[in-house]
Amino acid sequence: MSRIGRLPIPVPSGVDIKVDGQDVTVKGPKGELKHKVARPIEVVQEDGQIKVGRPSDEGPIRALHGLTRTLIHNMVIGVTEGYSKTLEIVGVGYRVQAKGSNLEFSLGFSHPITVEPPAGITFRVERPTQFVVEGIDKQKVGEVAANIRKLRKPDPYKGKGVRYQGEQIRRKVGKAGK
């Protein structure tokens, strides 16, 4: 069996999980998330834990087993603690500021760039060069952070741009470094 898939998912107090056939709904203090489980995988709730099972040991089914367990576990963490990604802006004149719930970036273009948060995502500006993307859905938080990073990717020559906090940029030498 899958080492990840066979681990039971503990359900903390304050979290309500409903398993209705292939639909799993997780409600917690921060919100509600839903997931439709792929067909051969079975999800069972028993004595304060969620267990994910599979009918056979075929390759694709084994892969779905571990994936399903991880997705449900991420939903439980999301509705209790939530997820966040911190991004930094590096560069002279590059900055971000909050305009209501939106973010307005100055990234060296001729115009400012405004980013609106999708449903379930909030932005928090900590400094003019640092902001946080927060939400309960791990996949959505990562996707929004990646799309913001795409506005001005870190330059390999000077290191300027939007990057994740703690991200190491491999620097190139340039023309003069022969």
Side-chain angles (χ1 to χ4, degrees):
M1 285 192 67
S2 165
R3 282 185 248 164
I4 299 286
R6 69 178 168 200
L7 294 174
I9 303 167
V11 180
S13 61
V15 175
D16 181 38
I17 297 183
K18 288 183 188 168
V19 179
D20 183 29
Q22 298 302 108
D23 294 327
V24 177
T25 305
V26 180
K27 284 184 187 176
K30 291 198 177 243
E32 176 180 348
L33 292 172
K34 295 180 182 179
H35 177 66
K36 189 167 183 78
V37 177
R39 193 39 85 184
I41 305 298
E42 303 151 352
V43 179
V44 179
Q45 183 176 9
E46 52 188 42
D47 32 286
Q49 294 182 336
I50 301 290
K51 293 189 178 176
V52 180
R54 65 174 189 233
S56 69
D57 278 344
E58 295 176 27
I61 294 176
R62 286 192 356 227
L64 278 175
H65 185 216
L67 171 71
T68 302
R69 190 259 179 211
T70 301
L71 290 175
I72 295 172
H73 183 66
N74 287 346
M75 289 167 51
V76 171
I77 292 173
V79 298
T80 54
E81 302 167 20
Y83 287 99
S84 67
K85 284 216 178 249
T86 304
L87 288 93
E88 301 172 331
I89 301 174
V90 177
V92 176
Y94 289 11
R95 61 185 164 76
V96 63
Q97 56 188 10
K99 294 276 183 168
S101 63
N102 300 341
L103 291 180
E104 186 175 90
F105 291 92
S106 298
L107 297 174
F109 298 114
S110 62
H111 58 283
I113 300 169
T114 304
V115 176
E116 297 180 18
I121 299 292
T122 57
F123 297 132
R124 189 177 78 236
V125 177
E126 295 182 341
R127 284 185 264 142
T129 59
Q130 186 175 7
F131 64 98
V132 180
V133 179
E134 297 175 321
I136 61 172
D137 188 352
K138 185 175 185 177
Q139 188 259 333
K140 197 181 278 189
V141 168
E143 184 178 359
V144 169
N147 286 338
I148 290 174
R149 184 180 180 271
K150 265 196 267 185
L151 296 175
R152 178 71 92 174
K153 285 185 180 174
D155 176 32
Y157 295 100
K158 293 185 178 180
K160 295 168 35 169
V162 181
R163 63 175 78 168
Y164 299 115
Q165 185 177 33
E167 180 181 6
Q168 298 293 317
I169 304 300
R170 292 190 67 180
R171 303 287 295 273
K172 293 184 179 179
V173 179
K175 273 192 202 175
K178 287 188 176 179

